[in-house]
Amino acid sequence: MKPLPLGVRIAAGLAVTALEQARKLPQQLAGLPLTVVSEAMQLSMRVQQHVTELAIKGDDVLSGLRPAEEEPEWATFDEDETPVTTSQETPVDDPWEEEERAIAEVPEFLPAYDELSIAQLRARLRNLDVEQLEELLRYEKAHESRPEFVGMLNRRIATVKAQS
């Protein structure tokens, strides 16, 4: 017996599939509202995720165009609770000291140190040991000697030493 043409076989398959789907229709109609709501919520969540990803990428790009916000006066952190007093070095008009400052290198473990805001530095301090913190403090004092940075580094060094 010769097989029927492909078109006839496909049409028969479509008819059987349509009949099967028609039999399932009453069951599918009962769950249809729930399915539609679920699909809409999934789509909404996907859109929100994409929007958030775009915002994060935009923040990364724009953060380089504007200066980082300094620490607000009202912000307090664990390191701020136990102040450590330090004596500030007074600048000397010694040409050898100026040369030492000029050739001192940024610590290898934090190469972008000079570009960090105080908040960005604070976030990285918890991963550093006492030697690294002291190296940062020496570098800060030798270069810009910003009081808020020097104070924060001194407080963190005291906290780490107290914990050991």
Side-chain angles (χ1 to χ4, degrees):
M1 178 171 192
K2 188 174 177 185
L4 294 173
L6 181 63
V8 173
R9 294 189 329 225
I10 290 175
L14 282 173
V16 171
T17 302
L19 183 62
E20 289 172 349
Q21 293 299 322
R23 287 183 185 157
K24 293 180 185 176
L25 191 59
Q27 295 170 349
Q28 290 177 341
L29 286 177
L32 188 62
L34 186 60
T35 303
V36 170
V37 169
S38 173
E39 292 287 329
M41 290 178 69
Q42 287 178 2
L43 178 63
S44 170
M45 292 298 288
R46 275 188 245 128
V47 168
Q48 287 176 352
Q49 287 175 339
H50 289 300
V51 168
T52 302
E53 288 172 2
L54 289 173
I56 290 170
K57 285 181 183 179
D59 287 345
D60 289 344
V61 169
L62 296 175
S63 67
L65 300 177
R66 61 182 180 150
E69 183 178 318
E70 290 296 321
E71 176 183 339
E73 292 178 18
W74 52 264
T76 58
F77 298 90
D78 292 343
E79 290 85 6
D80 295 338
E81 292 177 5
T82 56
V84 176
T85 57
T86 60
S87 60
Q88 283 248 307
E89 295 179 12
T90 55
V92 180
D93 292 331
D94 181 10
W96 294 108
E97 185 175 324
E98 288 179 26
E99 185 176 327
E100 279 185 31
R101 286 184 184 187
I103 62 173
E105 294 182 18
V106 178
E108 290 180 18
F109 57 87
L110 201 56
Y113 176 79
D114 289 330
E115 288 83 35
L116 296 177
S117 70
I118 195 159
Q120 293 169 325
L121 177 61
R122 177 177 285 114
R124 289 166 174 79
L125 289 183
R126 293 195 185 275
N127 300 324
L128 304 178
D129 60 28
V130 174
E131 291 89 20
Q132 292 171 323
L133 291 167
E134 289 174 343
E135 185 178 344
L136 278 179
L137 181 60
R138 284 191 298 275
Y139 178 79
E140 179 63 37
K141 285 181 177 180
H143 283 84
E144 296 184 41
S145 194
R146 298 167 285 190
E148 62 274 10
F149 281 70
V150 171
M152 183 177 61
L153 287 166
N154 278 318
R155 287 189 297 274
R156 183 62 187 158
I157 290 169
T159 302
V160 171
K161 284 182 177 179
Q163 291 173 349
S164 337

